[in-house]
Amino acid sequence: MMDQGLARYETTLAGLERKGRRRMLVPQAGADFSSNDYLALAGSARLAKAIASALQRGIPTGAGGSRLLRGNHPEHEALEAEAAVFFGAERVLYFGSGYAANASLFSTLPQRGDLIVYDALVHASAHEGILAGKAQTAAAAHNDVESFAQAIEQWRAKGGTGYPWIAVESLYSMDGDRAPLAELAALAEKHDGFLVIDEAHATGVFGPDGRGFAADLENRENVIVLHTCGKALGVSGALLGASAVLCDYLVNRARGFIYSTAPSPLMAAAVREALRGLVDEPQRRTDFDELRNFANAELTAKLGVAGSGSQILPVLIGDNGQAVRVAARMRAEGFDIRAIRPPTVPEGTARLRIAITLNVDRSTISRMFTRLAAIMTEERP
Ligand SMILES: Cc1ncc(COP(=O)(O)O)c(C=O)c1O
């Protein structure tokens, strides 16, 4: 009986295999061209010391409960207070992950009768919340302000009376391009709406002191900003900056916040240290800016494609199988590169997502692009 119960899963996996879409867990090995540890903080002595000293101060490993119960540790509150000052938000809430924060905010804040207009390329975690919520939804063409405007106008013309919500990333995770934030903020103002900006890939890297591209918008009461802590900050969790009333509402209504054990207080201590490091170790970001510019120039020189300008450098391949083969050959040569396939990216746009971090140096980047150019030519049908 169980054989048959499991067979349907095997059938699905076999189907994924045929389409070149079956995923495997591949151990990390070789030079890091795929993590989001942009500033090489995850394995840094600075964060290790912060954890060691937190342990010495008696900070517990586990929170022991939900934030609404016994799990609300002073370390969480200290982080939130410091982060609010750092990012210039009225209030900040610390979530266990960016996924949980996005799923919570989109399923909780937009109300029935509201409209969420989301960029076609927003992250799966935003979709999770959007699908679970009660607001109407519309997709806007990627980075096309006019498309956002039209969606709102059409909704109003059909009698929409609630508030519009605009959902974007400041730096897109799979394309490495930037959102037109100033225009989107103006659009939100014009329509008396909210703007939600996911800074996952910009936090720590861009903006004054690494505060992100939305640094000058973060104090507006109609703007909600998400800073994930597992990428450039090298730890885990996410800091959601918003007006005090919206944060208070989330504390009361966001199921992902309420019905979940609070993040480890040790991680909160490490995130505090990472934020301090952004201010007192600016050299890290300067080094990173230089390395990122170097990598963009190398990409163009060796592969003849324009770089995104950011640390996320997509190399479009198109065919799933070919993308997987090229990535596997690069890994075999010591370059940890991963293929990104649908449904993470649109059909027919399988790619290598090359991420530049301070875990690699210039000569490794150079060698990697030389080999990539050769292997891509060999694998071309
Ligand atoms: C744009 C974006 N938002 C949210 C997330 C989720 O963040 P986390 O990894 O902390 O769950 C990610 C990471 O995958 C992301 O790329």
Side-chain angles (χ1 to χ4, degrees), residues 4-351:
Q4 273 176 21
L6 297 182
R8 52 199 176 154
Y9 302 105
E10 280 163 3
T11 306
T12 302
L13 289 170
L16 288 174
E17 181 85 50
R18 272 196 307 280
K19 286 187 258 167
R21 281 169 59 163
R22 184 166 181 173
R23 267 107 158 168
M24 300 285 177
L25 295 173
V26 177
Q28 48 173 254
D32 175 9
F33 285 105
S34 62
S35 86
N36 304 309
D37 179 25
Y38 303 127
L39 299 176
L41 277 170
S44 67
R46 181 165 187 149
L47 292 193
K49 261 196 228 149
I51 294 283
S53 111
L55 282 169
Q56 260 180 357
R57 285 188 278 128
I59 307 294
T61 307
S66 160
R67 286 290 296 282
L68 281 179
L69 301 172
R70 175 96 183 162
N72 187 34
H73 194 275
E75 205 62 34
H76 298 127
E77 297 207 340
L79 166 61
E80 290 172 343
E82 275 179 36
V85 173
F86 178 76
F87 289 115
E90 190 176 12
R91 188 171 166 194
V92 162
L93 278 186
Y94 183 44
F95 281 79
S97 71
Y99 193 100
N102 261 337
S104 292
L105 90 89
F106 283 110
S107 60
T108 308
L109 295 180
Q111 306 283 298
R112 194 184 298 283
D114 289 357
L115 172 75
I116 306 175
V117 191
Y118 58 91
D119 188 284
L121 297 187
V122 289
H123 193 255
S125 51
H127 282 284
E128 197 70 25
I130 291 168
L131 280 172
K134 296 191 170 62
Q136 281 177 254
T137 64
H142 177 53
N143 272 348
D144 182 343
V145 180
E146 194 45 40
S147 173
F148 281 88
Q150 272 174 14
I152 297 172
E153 281 153 21
Q154 280 167 11
W155 165 72
R156 282 271 187 246
K158 284 190 195 145
T161 53
Y163 290 88
W165 293 74
I166 294 171
V168 297
E169 290 171 29
S170 62
L171 183 72
Y172 281 86
S173 61
M174 294 299 152
D175 293 72
D177 57 340
R178 289 176 57 174
L181 289 185
E183 289 96 320
L184 291 165
L187 186 68
E189 293 283 341
K190 179 176 167 194
H191 290 281
D192 204 13
F194 293 91
L195 173 61
V196 183
I197 305 168
D198 184 340
E199 292 256 50
H201 296 274
T203 303
V205 173
F206 293 103
D209 285 335
R211 283 157 49 207
F213 286 123
D216 58 338
L217 300 172
E218 196 146 351
N219 58 357
R220 296 194 186 177
E221 58 181 20
N222 69 331
V223 173
I224 294 118
V225 183
L226 186 70
H227 301 281
T228 62
C229 309
K231 303 183 195 295
L233 299 183
V235 192
S236 65
L239 297 162
L240 183 146
S243 66
V245 65
L246 290 186
C247 288
D248 200 13
Y249 190 84
L250 286 168
V251 168
N252 281 275
R253 285 279 192 272
R255 299 171 69 80
F257 187 86
I258 300 168
Y259 297 107
S260 185
T261 299
S264 161
L266 287 180
M267 295 306 112
V271 175
R272 284 172 78 188
E273 187 64 21
L275 293 181
R276 287 191 200 124
L278 294 182
V279 177
D280 63 31
E281 251 189 288
Q283 190 59 41
R284 226 177 243 277
R285 222 173 25 263
T286 312
D287 292 347
F288 183 63
D289 289 348
E290 283 168 12
L291 197 66
R292 187 182 63 230
N293 293 339
F294 174 79
N296 272 269
E298 278 292 285
L299 170 70
T300 305
K302 303 256 168 73
L303 272 80
V305 281
S308 63
S310 77
Q311 72 277 22
I312 299 167
L313 300 173
V315 175
L316 237 69
I317 294 197
D319 178 70
N320 295 340
Q322 202 183 330
V324 170
R325 278 195 304 279
V326 173
R329 284 190 60 186
M330 290 300 285
R331 284 199 302 277
E333 297 202 13
F335 305 107
D336 195 351
I337 289 179
R338 311 293 171 110
I340 309 289
R341 290 162 280 168
T344 305
V345 291
E347 204 64 54
T349 71
R351 67 196 66 183

